[in-house]
mmCIF file with all atom_site columns, all heavy atoms in Angstrom:
data_model
loop_
_atom_site.group_PDB
_atom_site.id
_atom_site.type_symbol
_atom_site.label_atom_id
_atom_site.label_alt_id
_atom_site.label_comp_id
_atom_site.label_asym_id
_atom_site.label_entity_id
_atom_site.label_seq_id
_atom_site.pdbx_PDB_ins_code
_atom_site.Cartn_x
_atom_site.Cartn_y
_atom_site.Cartn_z
_atom_site.occupancy
_atom_site.B_iso_or_equiv
_atom_site.pdbx_formal_charge
_atom_site.auth_seq_id
_atom_site.auth_comp_id
_atom_site.auth_asym_id
_atom_site.auth_atom_id
_atom_site.pdbx_PDB_model_num
ATOM 1  N N   . LYS A 1 529 ? -25.778 5.560   4.386  1.00 0.00 ? 586 LYS A N   1
ATOM 2  C CA  . LYS A 1 529 ? -25.276 4.682   3.317  1.00 0.00 ? 586 LYS A CA  1
ATOM 3  C C   . LYS A 1 529 ? -23.763 4.488   3.411  1.00 0.00 ? 586 LYS A C   1
ATOM 4  O O   . LYS A 1 529 ? -23.248 3.441   3.039  1.00 0.00 ? 586 LYS A O   1
ATOM 5  C CB  . LYS A 1 529 ? -25.649 5.243   1.954  1.00 0.00 ? 586 LYS A CB  1
ATOM 6  C CG  . LYS A 1 529 ? -24.969 6.545   1.576  1.00 0.00 ? 586 LYS A CG  1
ATOM 7  C CD  . LYS A 1 529 ? -25.378 7.004   0.186  1.00 0.00 ? 586 LYS A CD  1
ATOM 8  C CE  . LYS A 1 529 ? -24.660 8.300   -0.219 1.00 0.00 ? 586 LYS A CE  1
ATOM 9  N NZ  . LYS A 1 529 ? -23.206 8.128   -0.321 1.00 0.00 ? 586 LYS A NZ  1
ATOM 10 N N   . ASP A 1 530 ? -23.047 5.527   3.901  1.00 0.00 ? 587 ASP A N   1
ATOM 11 C CA  . ASP A 1 530 ? -21.600 5.397   4.055  1.00 0.00 ? 587 ASP A CA  1
ATOM 12 C C   . ASP A 1 530 ? -21.254 4.358   5.121  1.00 0.00 ? 587 ASP A C   1
ATOM 13 O O   . ASP A 1 530 ? -20.345 3.544   4.938  1.00 0.00 ? 587 ASP A O   1
ATOM 14 C CB  . ASP A 1 530 ? -20.978 6.748   4.441  1.00 0.00 ? 587 ASP A CB  1
ATOM 15 C CG  . ASP A 1 530 ? -21.225 7.816   3.394  1.00 0.00 ? 587 ASP A CG  1
ATOM 16 O OD1 . ASP A 1 530 ? -21.171 7.482   2.204  1.00 0.00 ? 587 ASP A OD1 1
ATOM 17 O OD2 . ASP A 1 530 ? -21.481 8.973   3.775  1.00 0.00 ? 587 ASP A OD2 1
ATOM 18 N N   . ILE A 1 531 ? -21.979 4.393   6.232  1.00 0.00 ? 588 ILE A N   1
ATOM 19 C CA  . ILE A 1 531 ? -21.726 3.450   7.335  1.00 0.00 ? 588 ILE A CA  1
ATOM 20 C C   . ILE A 1 531 ? -22.105 2.039   6.918  1.00 0.00 ? 588 ILE A C   1
ATOM 21 O O   . ILE A 1 531 ? -21.398 1.067   7.230  1.00 0.00 ? 588 ILE A O   1
ATOM 22 C CB  . ILE A 1 531 ? -22.521 3.854   8.593  1.00 0.00 ? 588 ILE A CB  1
ATOM 23 C CG1 . ILE A 1 531 ? -22.170 5.301   8.998  1.00 0.00 ? 588 ILE A CG1 1
ATOM 24 C CG2 . ILE A 1 531 ? -22.236 2.894   9.728  1.00 0.00 ? 588 ILE A CG2 1
ATOM 25 C CD1 . ILE A 1 531 ? -20.731 5.515   9.381  1.00 0.00 ? 588 ILE A CD1 1
ATOM 26 N N   . GLU A 1 532 ? -23.196 1.895   6.173  1.00 0.00 ? 589 GLU A N   1
ATOM 27 C CA  . GLU A 1 532 ? -23.686 0.563   5.812  1.00 0.00 ? 589 GLU A CA  1
ATOM 28 C C   . GLU A 1 532 ? -22.726 -0.186  4.888  1.00 0.00 ? 589 GLU A C   1
ATOM 29 O O   . GLU A 1 532 ? -22.772 -1.416  4.809  1.00 0.00 ? 589 GLU A O   1
ATOM 30 C CB  . GLU A 1 532 ? -25.059 0.677   5.140  1.00 0.00 ? 589 GLU A CB  1
ATOM 31 C CG  . GLU A 1 532 ? -26.170 1.012   6.118  1.00 0.00 ? 589 GLU A CG  1
ATOM 32 C CD  . GLU A 1 532 ? -27.518 1.177   5.445  1.00 0.00 ? 589 GLU A CD  1
ATOM 33 O OE1 . GLU A 1 532 ? -27.531 1.285   4.196  1.00 0.00 ? 589 GLU A OE1 1
ATOM 34 O OE2 . GLU A 1 532 ? -28.546 1.198   6.150  1.00 0.00 ? 589 GLU A OE2 1
ATOM 35 N N   . MET A 1 533 ? -21.845 0.522   4.189  1.00 0.00 ? 590 MET A N   1
ATOM 36 C CA  . MET A 1 533 ? -20.912 -0.140  3.286  1.00 0.00 ? 590 MET A CA  1
ATOM 37 C C   . MET A 1 533 ? -19.754 -0.808  4.013  1.00 0.00 ? 590 MET A C   1
ATOM 38 O O   . MET A 1 533 ? -19.024 -1.599  3.430  1.00 0.00 ? 590 MET A O   1
ATOM 39 C CB  . MET A 1 533 ? -20.369 0.856   2.258  1.00 0.00 ? 590 MET A CB  1
ATOM 40 C CG  . MET A 1 533 ? -21.367 1.193   1.162  1.00 0.00 ? 590 MET A CG  1
ATOM 41 S SD  . MET A 1 533 ? -20.640 2.138   -0.189 1.00 0.00 ? 590 MET A SD  1
ATOM 42 C CE  . MET A 1 533 ? -20.444 3.742   0.579  1.00 0.00 ? 590 MET A CE  1
ATOM 43 N N   . LEU A 1 534 ? -19.573 -0.498  5.283  1.00 0.00 ? 591 LEU A N   1
ATOM 44 C CA  . LEU A 1 534 ? -18.504 -1.102  6.062  1.00 0.00 ? 591 LEU A CA  1
ATOM 45 C C   . LEU A 1 534 ? -18.879 -2.514  6.501  1.00 0.00 ? 591 LEU A C   1
ATOM 46 O O   . LEU A 1 534 ? -20.062 -2.853  6.557  1.00 0.00 ? 591 LEU A O   1
ATOM 47 C CB  . LEU A 1 534 ? -18.200 -0.249  7.299  1.00 0.00 ? 591 LEU A CB  1
ATOM 48 C CG  . LEU A 1 534 ? -17.649 1.150   7.039  1.00 0.00 ? 591 LEU A CG  1
ATOM 49 C CD1 . LEU A 1 534 ? -17.657 1.947   8.332  1.00 0.00 ? 591 LEU A CD1 1
ATOM 50 C CD2 . LEU A 1 534 ? -16.243 1.079   6.465  1.00 0.00 ? 591 LEU A CD2 1
ATOM 51 N N   . PRO A 1 535 ? -17.888 -3.378  6.835  1.00 0.00 ? 592 PRO A N   1
ATOM 52 C CA  . PRO A 1 535 ? -18.218 -4.671  7.420  1.00 0.00 ? 592 PRO A CA  1
ATOM 53 C C   . PRO A 1 535 ? -19.040 -4.475  8.698  1.00 0.00 ? 592 PRO A C   1
ATOM 54 O O   . PRO A 1 535 ? -18.699 -3.633  9.529  1.00 0.00 ? 592 PRO A O   1
ATOM 55 C CB  . PRO A 1 535 ? -16.840 -5.272  7.729  1.00 0.00 ? 592 PRO A CB  1
ATOM 56 C CG  . PRO A 1 535 ? -15.917 -4.610  6.768  1.00 0.00 ? 592 PRO A CG  1
ATOM 57 C CD  . PRO A 1 535 ? -16.446 -3.217  6.605  1.00 0.00 ? 592 PRO A CD  1
ATOM 58 N N   . MET A 1 536 ? -20.124 -5.222  8.832  1.00 0.00 ? 593 MET A N   1
ATOM 59 C CA  . MET A 1 536 ? -21.054 -5.102  9.955  1.00 0.00 ? 593 MET A CA  1
ATOM 60 C C   . MET A 1 536 ? -21.645 -3.684  10.009 1.00 0.00 ? 593 MET A C   1
ATOM 61 O O   . MET A 1 536 ? -22.102 -3.225  11.053 1.00 0.00 ? 593 MET A O   1
ATOM 62 C CB  . MET A 1 536 ? -20.378 -5.442  11.286 1.00 0.00 ? 593 MET A CB  1
ATOM 63 C CG  . MET A 1 536 ? -19.818 -6.864  11.331 1.00 0.00 ? 593 MET A CG  1
ATOM 64 S SD  . MET A 1 536 ? -19.029 -7.269  12.892 1.00 0.00 ? 593 MET A SD  1
ATOM 65 C CE  . MET A 1 536 ? -20.451 -7.260  13.993 1.00 0.00 ? 593 MET A CE  1
ATOM 66 N N   . GLY A 1 537 ? -21.634 -2.991  8.853  1.00 0.00 ? 594 GLY A N   1
ATOM 67 C CA  . GLY A 1 537 ? -22.066 -1.600  8.829  1.00 0.00 ? 594 GLY A CA  1
ATOM 68 C C   . GLY A 1 537 ? -23.544 -1.397  9.066  1.00 0.00 ? 594 GLY A C   1
ATOM 69 O O   . GLY A 1 537 ? -23.947 -0.370  9.606  1.00 0.00 ? 594 GLY A O   1
ATOM 70 N N   . LYS A 1 538 ? -24.374 -2.372  8.659  1.00 0.00 ? 595 LYS A N   1
ATOM 71 C CA  . LYS A 1 538 ? -25.818 -2.181  8.825  1.00 0.00 ? 595 LYS A CA  1
ATOM 72 C C   . LYS A 1 538 ? -26.212 -2.148  10.302 1.00 0.00 ? 595 LYS A C   1
ATOM 73 O O   . LYS A 1 538 ? -27.047 -1.350  10.714 1.00 0.00 ? 595 LYS A O   1
ATOM 74 C CB  . LYS A 1 538 ? -26.565 -3.287  8.089  1.00 0.00 ? 595 LYS A CB  1
ATOM 75 C CG  . LYS A 1 538 ? -26.449 -3.168  6.564  1.00 0.00 ? 595 LYS A CG  1
ATOM 76 C CD  . LYS A 1 538 ? -27.314 -4.176  5.840  1.00 0.00 ? 595 LYS A CD  1
ATOM 77 C CE  . LYS A 1 538 ? -27.215 -3.977  4.325  1.00 0.00 ? 595 LYS A CE  1
ATOM 78 N NZ  . LYS A 1 538 ? -28.041 -4.931  3.566  1.00 0.00 ? 595 LYS A NZ  1
ATOM 79 N N   . ARG A 1 539 ? -25.582 -3.017  11.097 1.00 0.00 ? 596 ARG A N   1
ATOM 80 C CA  . ARG A 1 539 ? -25.860 -2.989  12.542 1.00 0.00 ? 596 ARG A CA  1
ATOM 81 C C   . ARG A 1 539 ? -25.416 -1.661  13.141 1.00 0.00 ? 596 ARG A C   1
ATOM 82 O O   . ARG A 1 539 ? -26.134 -1.047  13.944 1.00 0.00 ? 596 ARG A O   1
ATOM 83 C CB  . ARG A 1 539 ? -25.134 -4.140  13.241 1.00 0.00 ? 596 ARG A CB  1
ATOM 84 C CG  . ARG A 1 539 ? -25.659 -5.532  12.886 1.00 0.00 ? 596 ARG A CG  1
ATOM 85 C CD  . ARG A 1 539 ? -24.911 -6.573  13.708 1.00 0.00 ? 596 ARG A CD  1
ATOM 86 N NE  . ARG A 1 539 ? -25.338 -7.924  13.360 1.00 0.00 ? 596 ARG A NE  1
ATOM 87 C CZ  . ARG A 1 539 ? -24.825 -9.031  13.904 1.00 0.00 ? 596 ARG A CZ  1
ATOM 88 N NH1 . ARG A 1 539 ? -23.873 -8.932  14.824 1.00 0.00 ? 596 ARG A NH1 1
ATOM 89 N NH2 . ARG A 1 539 ? -25.269 -10.219 13.538 1.00 0.00 ? 596 ARG A NH2 1
#
Side-chain angles (χ1 to χ4, degrees):
K586 67 179 182 64
D587 300 321
I588 304 297
E589 287 178 346
M590 284 190 287
L591 295 169
M593 300 180 67
K595 291 186 177 180
R596 292 183 183 178

